[in-house]
Structure formats: C-alpha cells, structure tokens
C-alpha cells in the first residue's frame, strides 16, 4: 500500500483515481485477465499472473480511496459469506445461497 | 489467505475453483462493483466496499491457485510499471505508455 | 447474421464458439469498450465504434448459438422492462425498479 | 431502434445515456451474462437469453448515441477481421492474429 501510494504521488496521478475511474479500471483489467481463458480453460500461467497483478493493483488503490484496509475488508466479508453458506448446506455445491 | 483457504476447504469448494472459473468470477464481481457507478460518479461507499470485497476475495483465491503471493505480485508488477511510466514523462498525465 | 455465419464456417471456428466462450468474449470486448472511457467521459468516437463492433459481433454469434433472433430478443425484453418501469414512476429517474 | 428510442424518450432517460454510462452498462450486463456460466459451461438457456437481451439493448443504445447503424458497424468490422484472419492461416485455429 505504501509503495503504491508513493508511486501514484510521484506521478501526480491521484487526480485520475476517483472511485468511479478505479472501478472502471478494475473491470477493464478483469477483462484482460479473462482473455487469458477466452478459448480454453488452460492458460499461460505467467500471463495470467501478470493480468491478475493489474486487477489487484486497482483493487488496492480503490480500497485506499474508499478508506478501508483490504485485508480487513476481505475478512469481514468472509464472515458474512460464512453465514450465507453454512457448511451443512453448501458442502460440495456451487448453488447460490438464494437458490438453496 | 489462511482464513480463505479454510473457508473453501470446509465447503469442499476447491473443485469449482479452477483458474478459469476464478477469472470469470473476478470479472462478474468487477461488473457488480462497476454497477455502483452505473449512472453517476457518486456512490454509496458501503455498497462499493462490499462489492470490492468480492472482487478482492476472488483475486486472492486465484493468486493462491496460481501459486503466487498477492503482495509480491503487486510489488513486482509495480517495478515494471515504474519502468514504463518514468516520472518525467508520466507526471500529471493519464496517457498510455505506448502513446507517449 | 448470414455474413457472420459464413465467416465463421469458412474458418471452421464454430468449434470454439460454445455459449460459454462467447459469453467470455462478450465480457472481454466489453472491457475493451470501457477502456475508451477509462480516465475520462470523453473518447475518440471512432475507437469506441470499433470496440462496440466487437461486442456486438460476439452478441450476435451468441444469439445465433442460443437459437434466438437478436431483434426479437431485444423487443421482447423491452416489453418486460416497460412493465418494470412505468412512465409515471420512471420519468426522469435512474433509480432501479426494486428501489422505487 | 425506433422502439428503443421511443421507450427512452417517454421516460426522459436520454439524460443518463452518455456514451460513458452506456459503455459501463454494457460491461455490467456482460458480467451478468457471464454469471450464467460462472461455475459450469452449461447454463439455463432462457436465463442466458435474458441477460444477452440486456447487453444487446445497451449496445444498440450506444450505437445510436455514437451515430452509427449497428448492422453496418458489424459488417464493416467483419471486413477488417477478414483481412486479419485469412482462411488459409486461421482455419481451425483460435490463435490471435498477432501471434500467427
């Protein structure tokens, strides 16, 4: 987070990093990540890692902009998901919670 | 990462988490995050945080599946981006590096 | 539709065009279209048209694969949307129907 | 196109339909279409058609906003793709043209 903030500050890029622009950027990079799997479930792992790095970077910048710690955010959401998907119902099934 | 892995293992969900399925999931959740900004640059911050949590969670699961540490991945990519966007060229500009 | 089908058949590309792969392709191209607006609401119109062409092409191929006429599909959905968004409620508002 | 325009005009929704907002909407709906295939290549066809209708609708609205006929746009792009993917090179292969 500290390294990302310094990188952005050095280039005066904070002006472009509105939450909306960062959300668009996450979606754009998610499309590039998906492109690694466009015609086949297999992919070049190093290319997929590279695209994942871009999605993650914009996610972290957005978390910072929204004033939230990314680790805390994931853990907090995990607690909610745990309640929606109790083990006895969700075990071995990919069904969405509202279709149990 | 440890908490996510335990959550997935308890539900035997690893079978659904192929890299391709996780990449699709990242893109799906990125669309939901973007929906917070569909008609306006302003949004409800708590809703945006909630959607960002989902994108981040799938990114972390994919990183794990691709055998890479998410923090190292972001920092490594930052070094490459630093080389593509030297401060003297990139300062205050959102131009893509191949259009400098 | 006829021109698209001939183009695909000549290259024996039908084998890659499963509904899933076409849905991924729509999302990938939608990301490229969005990239035209990544840092600003303004864009180069000819570039946006070009990316829109790709999204549309994959949508048409998917419609064909799902056995549905794209014009009929849009008109049918329009009738449903009309019911969800009656003029007297929806006039001049971007609110989602479930939040009226 | 005529039906879509009337639907939008009746609700005074043109004010929300900037090219940027429509591009975001295409990406959001593309994510919902992809969700039909999140955990499996198989899907409920009627659900996929329904989501495809939404992507197509926003594509048509954006084409209109960009002042281009959607059919002409697709056919024009097809000619460019034809040049990039000559039959003798592209036959039976999903390789991208810049990797031939």
């Amino acid at each position: 987070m500290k390294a990302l903030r310094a990188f952005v500050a050095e280039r005066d890029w904070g002006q472009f990093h509105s939450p909306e622009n960062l959300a668009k950027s996450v979606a754009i990079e998610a499309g590039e990540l998906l492109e690694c799997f466009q015609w086949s479930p297999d992919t070049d792992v190093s290319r997929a890692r590279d695209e994942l790095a871009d999605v993650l970077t914009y996610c972290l910048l957005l978390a910072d902009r929204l004033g939230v710690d990314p680790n805390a955010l994931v853990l907090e959401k995990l607690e909610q998901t745990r309640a929606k998907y109790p083990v006895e119902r969700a075990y071995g099934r990919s069904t969405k919670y509202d279709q149990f």
Side-chain angles (χ1 to χ4, degrees), chain A:
Chain A
M1 215 66 244
K2 227 174 113 182
L4 284 175
R5 277 186 208 133
F7 178 85
V8 169
E10 272 166 22
R11 283 157 189 78
D12 193 26
W13 280 358
Q15 58 181 309
F16 305 120
H17 290 183
S18 66
E20 185 197 21
N21 284 356
L22 292 171
K24 283 186 274 176
S25 301
V26 168
I28 292 164
E29 298 298 341
E32 296 191 14
L33 172 62
L34 190 61
E35 201 181 350
C36 301
F37 304 91
Q38 185 168 16
W39 304 117
S40 156
D42 301 317
T43 191
D44 171 3
V45 172
S46 87
R47 186 181 153 211
R49 283 179 182 177
D50 203 58
E51 298 299 347
L52 177 58
D54 292 335
V55 187
L56 263 169
T57 299
Y58 282 121
C59 283
L60 296 180
L61 290 171
L62 180 54
D64 205 37
R65 196 72 186 222
L66 297 175
V68 67
D69 173 71
N71 289 313
L73 186 66
V74 168
L75 284 171
E76 203 185 297
K77 186 67 190 256
L78 192 63
E79 288 319 300
Q80 297 172 26
T81 313
R82 206 182 288 282
K84 277 187 187 167
Y85 293 91
V87 171
E88 61 277 17
R89 276 197 168 170
Y91 190 84
R93 303 171 61 195
S94 63
T95 316
K96 217 176 163 176
Y97 70 96
D98 54 7
Q99 280 149 24
F100 275 150

PDB file of all heavy atoms in Angstrom, chain A residues 31-58:
ATOM      1  N   GLY A  31     -11.276  -7.906 -17.538  1.00  0.00           N
ATOM      2  CA  GLY A  31     -11.490  -8.390 -18.908  1.00  0.00           C
ATOM      3  C   GLY A  31     -10.203  -8.930 -19.514  1.00  0.00           C
ATOM      4  O   GLY A  31     -10.207  -9.953 -20.203  1.00  0.00           O
ATOM      5  N   GLU A  32      -9.099  -8.250 -19.230  1.00  0.00           N
ATOM      6  CA  GLU A  32      -7.813  -8.725 -19.770  1.00  0.00           C
ATOM      7  C   GLU A  32      -7.396 -10.044 -19.112  1.00  0.00           C
ATOM      8  O   GLU A  32      -6.826 -10.919 -19.758  1.00  0.00           O
ATOM      9  CB  GLU A  32      -6.734  -7.653 -19.592  1.00  0.00           C
ATOM     10  CG  GLU A  32      -7.077  -6.408 -20.397  1.00  0.00           C
ATOM     11  CD  GLU A  32      -5.934  -5.402 -20.495  1.00  0.00           C
ATOM     12  OE1 GLU A  32      -4.779  -5.749 -20.173  1.00  0.00           O
ATOM     13  OE2 GLU A  32      -6.204  -4.251 -20.891  1.00  0.00           O
ATOM     14  N   LEU A  33      -7.689 -10.163 -17.829  1.00  0.00           N
ATOM     15  CA  LEU A  33      -7.420 -11.426 -17.135  1.00  0.00           C
ATOM     16  C   LEU A  33      -8.258 -12.553 -17.751  1.00  0.00           C
ATOM     17  O   LEU A  33      -7.758 -13.647 -18.028  1.00  0.00           O
ATOM     18  CB  LEU A  33      -7.753 -11.264 -15.646  1.00  0.00           C
ATOM     19  CG  LEU A  33      -7.724 -12.514 -14.772  1.00  0.00           C
ATOM     20  CD1 LEU A  33      -6.331 -13.139 -14.741  1.00  0.00           C
ATOM     21  CD2 LEU A  33      -8.180 -12.182 -13.345  1.00  0.00           C
ATOM     22  N   LEU A  34      -9.505 -12.264 -18.007  1.00  0.00           N
ATOM     23  CA  LEU A  34     -10.399 -13.267 -18.591  1.00  0.00           C
ATOM     24  C   LEU A  34      -9.934 -13.684 -19.988  1.00  0.00           C
ATOM     25  O   LEU A  34     -10.122 -14.826 -20.410  1.00  0.00           O
ATOM     26  CB  LEU A  34     -11.825 -12.687 -18.663  1.00  0.00           C
ATOM     27  CG  LEU A  34     -12.955 -13.647 -19.017  1.00  0.00           C
ATOM     28  CD1 LEU A  34     -13.085 -14.761 -17.999  1.00  0.00           C
ATOM     29  CD2 LEU A  34     -14.281 -12.897 -19.162  1.00  0.00           C
ATOM     30  N   GLU A  35      -9.305 -12.734 -20.695  1.00  0.00           N
ATOM     31  CA  GLU A  35      -8.827 -13.025 -22.054  1.00  0.00           C
ATOM     32  C   GLU A  35      -7.817 -14.182 -22.063  1.00  0.00           C
ATOM     33  O   GLU A  35      -7.692 -14.886 -23.064  1.00  0.00           O
ATOM     34  CB  GLU A  35      -8.216 -11.765 -22.681  1.00  0.00           C
ATOM     35  CG  GLU A  35      -8.176 -11.859 -24.205  1.00  0.00           C
ATOM     36  CD  GLU A  35      -7.553 -10.638 -24.868  1.00  0.00           C
ATOM     37  OE1 GLU A  35      -7.301  -9.612 -24.178  1.00  0.00           O
ATOM     38  OE2 GLU A  35      -7.299 -10.712 -26.085  1.00  0.00           O
ATOM     39  N   CYS A  36      -7.109 -14.356 -20.943  1.00  0.00           N
ATOM     40  CA  CYS A  36      -6.174 -15.499 -20.842  1.00  0.00           C
ATOM     41  C   CYS A  36      -6.910 -16.825 -20.990  1.00  0.00           C
ATOM     42  O   CYS A  36      -6.299 -17.854 -21.275  1.00  0.00           O
ATOM     43  CB  CYS A  36      -5.463 -15.486 -19.496  1.00  0.00           C
ATOM     44  SG  CYS A  36      -4.503 -14.009 -19.149  1.00  0.00           S
ATOM     45  N   PHE A  37      -8.222 -16.819 -20.740  1.00  0.00           N
ATOM     46  CA  PHE A  37      -9.017 -18.056 -20.757  1.00  0.00           C
ATOM     47  C   PHE A  37     -10.111 -18.005 -21.827  1.00  0.00           C
ATOM     48  O   PHE A  37     -11.084 -18.741 -21.746  1.00  0.00           O
ATOM     49  CB  PHE A  37      -9.662 -18.275 -19.380  1.00  0.00           C
ATOM     50  CG  PHE A  37      -8.688 -18.303 -18.243  1.00  0.00           C
ATOM     51  CD1 PHE A  37      -8.349 -17.148 -17.560  1.00  0.00           C
ATOM     52  CD2 PHE A  37      -8.071 -19.497 -17.877  1.00  0.00           C
ATOM     53  CE1 PHE A  37      -7.436 -17.169 -16.511  1.00  0.00           C
ATOM     54  CE2 PHE A  37      -7.161 -19.525 -16.826  1.00  0.00           C
ATOM     55  CZ  PHE A  37      -6.843 -18.360 -16.141  1.00  0.00           C
ATOM     56  N   GLN A  38      -9.938 -17.127 -22.843  1.00  0.00           N
ATOM     57  CA  GLN A  38     -11.038 -16.894 -23.799  1.00  0.00           C
ATOM     58  C   GLN A  38     -11.482 -18.165 -24.536  1.00  0.00           C
ATOM     59  O   GLN A  38     -12.665 -18.440 -24.624  1.00  0.00           O
ATOM     60  CB  GLN A  38     -10.619 -15.822 -24.812  1.00  0.00           C
ATOM     61  CG  GLN A  38     -11.742 -15.410 -25.773  1.00  0.00           C
ATOM     62  CD  GLN A  38     -11.389 -14.154 -26.569  1.00  0.00           C
ATOM     63  OE1 GLN A  38     -10.237 -13.742 -26.637  1.00  0.00           O
ATOM     64  NE2 GLN A  38     -12.394 -13.535 -27.165  1.00  0.00           N
ATOM     65  N   TRP A  39     -10.546 -18.900 -25.059  1.00  0.00           N
ATOM     66  CA  TRP A  39     -10.922 -20.057 -25.889  1.00  0.00           C
ATOM     67  C   TRP A  39     -10.618 -21.394 -25.242  1.00  0.00           C
ATOM     68  O   TRP A  39     -10.844 -22.444 -25.833  1.00  0.00           O
ATOM     69  CB  TRP A  39     -10.234 -19.963 -27.266  1.00  0.00           C
ATOM     70  CG  TRP A  39     -10.544 -18.690 -27.967  1.00  0.00           C
ATOM     71  CD1 TRP A  39      -9.648 -17.714 -28.326  1.00  0.00           C
ATOM     72  CD2 TRP A  39     -11.834 -18.217 -28.383  1.00  0.00           C
ATOM     73  NE1 TRP A  39     -10.312 -16.669 -28.913  1.00  0.00           N
ATOM     74  CE2 TRP A  39     -11.647 -16.946 -28.977  1.00  0.00           C
ATOM     75  CE3 TRP A  39     -13.140 -18.724 -28.309  1.00  0.00           C
ATOM     76  CZ2 TRP A  39     -12.712 -16.187 -29.489  1.00  0.00           C
ATOM     77  CZ3 TRP A  39     -14.191 -17.966 -28.819  1.00  0.00           C
ATOM     78  CH2 TRP A  39     -13.970 -16.725 -29.404  1.00  0.00           C
ATOM     79  N   SER A  40     -10.075 -21.360 -24.041  1.00  0.00           N
ATOM     80  CA  SER A  40      -9.692 -22.619 -23.397  1.00  0.00           C
ATOM     81  C   SER A  40      -9.555 -22.421 -21.893  1.00  0.00           C
ATOM     82  O   SER A  40      -9.185 -21.334 -21.437  1.00  0.00           O
ATOM     83  CB  SER A  40      -8.344 -23.077 -23.979  1.00  0.00           C
ATOM     84  OG  SER A  40      -7.671 -23.915 -23.086  1.00  0.00           O
ATOM     85  N   PRO A  41      -9.856 -23.462 -21.119  1.00  0.00           N
ATOM     86  CA  PRO A  41      -9.675 -23.356 -19.659  1.00  0.00           C
ATOM     87  C   PRO A  41      -8.198 -23.316 -19.263  1.00  0.00           C
ATOM     88  O   PRO A  41      -7.874 -22.952 -18.144  1.00  0.00           O
ATOM     89  CB  PRO A  41     -10.348 -24.618 -19.109  1.00  0.00           C
ATOM     90  CG  PRO A  41     -10.707 -25.464 -20.271  1.00  0.00           C
ATOM     91  CD  PRO A  41     -10.443 -24.739 -21.536  1.00  0.00           C
ATOM     92  N   ASP A  42      -7.322 -23.685 -20.201  1.00  0.00           N
ATOM     93  CA  ASP A  42      -5.894 -23.666 -19.886  1.00  0.00           C
ATOM     94  C   ASP A  42      -5.311 -22.326 -20.297  1.00  0.00           C
ATOM     95  O   ASP A  42      -5.801 -21.675 -21.207  1.00  0.00           O
ATOM     96  CB  ASP A  42      -5.166 -24.786 -20.625  1.00  0.00           C
ATOM     97  CG  ASP A  42      -5.759 -26.127 -20.242  1.00  0.00           C
ATOM     98  OD1 ASP A  42      -6.026 -26.317 -19.040  1.00  0.00           O
ATOM     99  OD2 ASP A  42      -5.988 -26.944 -21.141  1.00  0.00           O
ATOM    100  N   THR A  43      -4.243 -21.957 -19.635  1.00  0.00           N
ATOM    101  CA  THR A  43      -3.635 -20.681 -19.987  1.00  0.00           C
ATOM    102  C   THR A  43      -2.159 -20.716 -19.661  1.00  0.00           C
ATOM    103  O   THR A  43      -1.667 -21.611 -18.976  1.00  0.00           O
ATOM    104  CB  THR A  43      -4.284 -19.519 -19.205  1.00  0.00           C
ATOM    105  OG1 THR A  43      -3.827 -18.293 -19.778  1.00  0.00           O
ATOM    106  CG2 THR A  43      -3.894 -19.544 -17.740  1.00  0.00           C
ATOM    107  N   ASP A  44      -1.484 -19.707 -20.150  1.00  0.00           N
ATOM    108  CA  ASP A  44      -0.097 -19.460 -19.802  1.00  0.00           C
ATOM    109  C   ASP A  44      -0.104 -18.830 -18.406  1.00  0.00           C
ATOM    110  O   ASP A  44      -0.582 -17.709 -18.221  1.00  0.00           O
ATOM    111  CB  ASP A  44       0.461 -18.505 -20.853  1.00  0.00           C
ATOM    112  CG  ASP A  44       1.842 -17.992 -20.508  1.00  0.00           C
ATOM    113  OD1 ASP A  44       2.407 -18.407 -19.477  1.00  0.00           O
ATOM    114  OD2 ASP A  44       2.345 -17.156 -21.269  1.00  0.00           O
ATOM    115  N   VAL A  45       0.408 -19.557 -17.394  1.00  0.00           N
ATOM    116  CA  VAL A  45       0.318 -19.089 -16.011  1.00  0.00           C
ATOM    117  C   VAL A  45       0.985 -17.727 -15.814  1.00  0.00           C
ATOM    118  O   VAL A  45       0.468 -16.858 -15.105  1.00  0.00           O
ATOM    119  CB  VAL A  45       0.910 -20.125 -15.022  1.00  0.00           C
ATOM    120  CG1 VAL A  45       0.984 -19.544 -13.610  1.00  0.00           C
ATOM    121  CG2 VAL A  45       0.035 -21.380 -14.986  1.00  0.00           C
ATOM    122  N   SER A  46       2.109 -17.500 -16.468  1.00  0.00           N
ATOM    123  CA  SER A  46       2.809 -16.235 -16.201  1.00  0.00           C
ATOM    124  C   SER A  46       2.023 -15.047 -16.767  1.00  0.00           C
ATOM    125  O   SER A  46       2.042 -13.951 -16.203  1.00  0.00           O
ATOM    126  CB  SER A  46       4.243 -16.271 -16.747  1.00  0.00           C
ATOM    127  OG  SER A  46       4.278 -15.874 -18.083  1.00  0.00           O
ATOM    128  N   ARG A  47       1.310 -15.281 -17.864  1.00  0.00           N
ATOM    129  CA  ARG A  47       0.472 -14.210 -18.428  1.00  0.00           C
ATOM    130  C   ARG A  47      -0.720 -13.939 -17.492  1.00  0.00           C
ATOM    131  O   ARG A  47      -1.066 -12.784 -17.234  1.00  0.00           O
ATOM    132  CB  ARG A  47      -0.034 -14.660 -19.812  1.00  0.00           C
ATOM    133  CG  ARG A  47      -0.776 -13.597 -20.563  1.00  0.00           C
ATOM    134  CD  ARG A  47      -1.272 -14.143 -21.918  1.00  0.00           C
ATOM    135  NE  ARG A  47      -2.466 -13.423 -22.346  1.00  0.00           N
ATOM    136  CZ  ARG A  47      -3.446 -13.942 -23.070  1.00  0.00           C
ATOM    137  NH1 ARG A  47      -3.391 -15.209 -23.470  1.00  0.00           N
ATOM    138  NH2 ARG A  47      -4.486 -13.209 -23.411  1.00  0.00           N
ATOM    139  N   ALA A  48      -1.316 -15.012 -16.957  1.00  0.00           N
ATOM    140  CA  ALA A  48      -2.454 -14.844 -16.051  1.00  0.00           C
ATOM    141  C   ALA A  48      -2.023 -14.095 -14.782  1.00  0.00           C
ATOM    142  O   ALA A  48      -2.729 -13.212 -14.290  1.00  0.00           O
ATOM    143  CB  ALA A  48      -3.056 -16.197 -15.698  1.00  0.00           C
ATOM    144  N   ARG A  49      -0.841 -14.442 -14.266  1.00  0.00           N
ATOM    145  CA  ARG A  49      -0.329 -13.735 -13.080  1.00  0.00           C
ATOM    146  C   ARG A  49      -0.169 -12.240 -13.361  1.00  0.00           C
ATOM    147  O   ARG A  49      -0.466 -11.394 -12.522  1.00  0.00           O
ATOM    148  CB  ARG A  49       1.051 -14.296 -12.690  1.00  0.00           C
ATOM    149  CG  ARG A  49       0.986 -15.619 -11.981  1.00  0.00           C
ATOM    150  CD  ARG A  49       2.406 -16.080 -11.672  1.00  0.00           C
ATOM    151  NE  ARG A  49       2.419 -17.382 -11.027  1.00  0.00           N
ATOM    152  CZ  ARG A  49       3.516 -18.041 -10.709  1.00  0.00           C
ATOM    153  NH1 ARG A  49       4.715 -17.513 -10.983  1.00  0.00           N
ATOM    154  NH2 ARG A  49       3.460 -19.212 -10.124  1.00  0.00           N
ATOM    155  N   ASP A  50       0.349 -11.970 -14.542  1.00  0.00           N
ATOM    156  CA  ASP A  50       0.597 -10.587 -14.935  1.00  0.00           C
ATOM    157  C   ASP A  50      -0.707  -9.779 -14.970  1.00  0.00           C
ATOM    158  O   ASP A  50      -0.762  -8.649 -14.485  1.00  0.00           O
ATOM    159  CB  ASP A  50       1.235 -10.616 -16.333  1.00  0.00           C
ATOM    160  CG  ASP A  50       2.023  -9.366 -16.606  1.00  0.00           C
ATOM    161  OD1 ASP A  50       2.954  -9.080 -15.828  1.00  0.00           O
ATOM    162  OD2 ASP A  50       1.689  -8.673 -17.585  1.00  0.00           O
ATOM    163  N   GLU A  51      -1.746 -10.359 -15.537  1.00  0.00           N
ATOM    164  CA  GLU A  51      -3.032  -9.648 -15.613  1.00  0.00           C
ATOM    165  C   GLU A  51      -3.685  -9.555 -14.233  1.00  0.00           C
ATOM    166  O   GLU A  51      -4.297  -8.547 -13.892  1.00  0.00           O
ATOM    167  CB  GLU A  51      -3.971 -10.355 -16.603  1.00  0.00           C
ATOM    168  CG  GLU A  51      -3.471 -10.405 -18.044  1.00  0.00           C
ATOM    169  CD  GLU A  51      -3.272  -9.031 -18.667  1.00  0.00           C
ATOM    170  OE1 GLU A  51      -3.738  -8.032 -18.094  1.00  0.00           O
ATOM    171  OE2 GLU A  51      -2.638  -8.959 -19.732  1.00  0.00           O
ATOM    172  N   LEU A  52      -3.517 -10.616 -13.446  1.00  0.00           N
ATOM    173  CA  LEU A  52      -4.066 -10.585 -12.086  1.00  0.00           C
ATOM    174  C   LEU A  52      -3.423  -9.461 -11.268  1.00  0.00           C
ATOM    175  O   LEU A  52      -4.089  -8.786 -10.472  1.00  0.00           O
ATOM    176  CB  LEU A  52      -3.841 -11.940 -11.400  1.00  0.00           C
ATOM    177  CG  LEU A  52      -4.305 -12.040  -9.946  1.00  0.00           C
ATOM    178  CD1 LEU A  52      -5.788 -11.733  -9.790  1.00  0.00           C
ATOM    179  CD2 LEU A  52      -3.992 -13.436  -9.377  1.00  0.00           C
ATOM    180  N   ALA A  53      -2.130  -9.251 -11.489  1.00  0.00           N
ATOM    181  CA  ALA A  53      -1.418  -8.170 -10.782  1.00  0.00           C
ATOM    182  C   ALA A  53      -2.107  -6.824 -11.044  1.00  0.00           C
ATOM    183  O   ALA A  53      -2.259  -6.008 -10.131  1.00  0.00           O
ATOM    184  CB  ALA A  53       0.039  -8.117 -11.234  1.00  0.00           C
ATOM    185  N   ASP A  54      -2.542  -6.606 -12.284  1.00  0.00           N
ATOM    186  CA  ASP A  54      -3.194  -5.329 -12.625  1.00  0.00           C
ATOM    187  C   ASP A  54      -4.547  -5.191 -11.935  1.00  0.00           C
ATOM    188  O   ASP A  54      -4.884  -4.128 -11.430  1.00  0.00           O
ATOM    189  CB  ASP A  54      -3.379  -5.215 -14.147  1.00  0.00           C
ATOM    190  CG  ASP A  54      -2.054  -5.085 -14.868  1.00  0.00           C
ATOM    191  OD1 ASP A  54      -1.080  -4.626 -14.249  1.00  0.00           O
ATOM    192  OD2 ASP A  54      -1.993  -5.445 -16.064  1.00  0.00           O
ATOM    193  N   VAL A  55      -5.334  -6.277 -11.926  1.00  0.00           N
ATOM    194  CA  VAL A  55      -6.633  -6.210 -11.236  1.00  0.00           C
ATOM    195  C   VAL A  55      -6.403  -5.903  -9.761  1.00  0.00           C
ATOM    196  O   VAL A  55      -7.032  -5.006  -9.186  1.00  0.00           O
ATOM    197  CB  VAL A  55      -7.422  -7.538 -11.365  1.00  0.00           C
ATOM    198  CG1 VAL A  55      -8.831  -7.357 -10.793  1.00  0.00           C
ATOM    199  CG2 VAL A  55      -7.511  -8.021 -12.806  1.00  0.00           C
ATOM    200  N   LEU A  56      -5.484  -6.653  -9.151  1.00  0.00           N
ATOM    201  CA  LEU A  56      -5.200  -6.463  -7.725  1.00  0.00           C
ATOM    202  C   LEU A  56      -4.742  -5.042  -7.416  1.00  0.00           C
ATOM    203  O   LEU A  56      -5.158  -4.443  -6.421  1.00  0.00           O
ATOM    204  CB  LEU A  56      -4.112  -7.447  -7.282  1.00  0.00           C
ATOM    205  CG  LEU A  56      -4.594  -8.723  -6.616  1.00  0.00           C
ATOM    206  CD1 LEU A  56      -3.444  -9.706  -6.474  1.00  0.00           C
ATOM    207  CD2 LEU A  56      -5.203  -8.441  -5.230  1.00  0.00           C
ATOM    208  N   THR A  57      -3.884  -4.511  -8.269  1.00  0.00           N
ATOM    209  CA  THR A  57      -3.360  -3.158  -8.038  1.00  0.00           C
ATOM    210  C   THR A  57      -4.495  -2.134  -7.990  1.00  0.00           C
ATOM    211  O   THR A  57      -4.574  -1.311  -7.078  1.00  0.00           O
ATOM    212  CB  THR A  57      -2.352  -2.792  -9.151  1.00  0.00           C
ATOM    213  OG1 THR A  57      -1.277  -3.720  -9.104  1.00  0.00           O
ATOM    214  CG2 THR A  57      -1.819  -1.375  -8.966  1.00  0.00           C
ATOM    215  N   TYR A  58      -5.406  -2.210  -8.967  1.00  0.00           N
ATOM    216  CA  TYR A  58      -6.526  -1.260  -8.957  1.00  0.00           C
ATOM    217  C   TYR A  58      -7.467  -1.517  -7.771  1.00  0.00           C
ATOM    218  O   TYR A  58      -8.035  -0.578  -7.216  1.00  0.00           O
ATOM    219  CB  TYR A  58      -7.284  -1.282 -10.286  1.00  0.00           C
ATOM    220  CG  TYR A  58      -6.565  -0.526 -11.380  1.00  0.00           C
ATOM    221  CD1 TYR A  58      -6.176  -1.152 -12.563  1.00  0.00           C
ATOM    222  CD2 TYR A  58      -6.276   0.832 -11.239  1.00  0.00           C
ATOM    223  CE1 TYR A  58      -5.517  -0.457 -13.572  1.00  0.00           C
ATOM    224  CE2 TYR A  58      -5.622   1.543 -12.239  1.00  0.00           C
ATOM    225  CZ  TYR A  58      -5.244   0.893 -13.399  1.00  0.00           C
ATOM    226  OH  TYR A  58      -4.594   1.591 -14.383  1.00  0.00           O
TER     227      TYR A  58
END
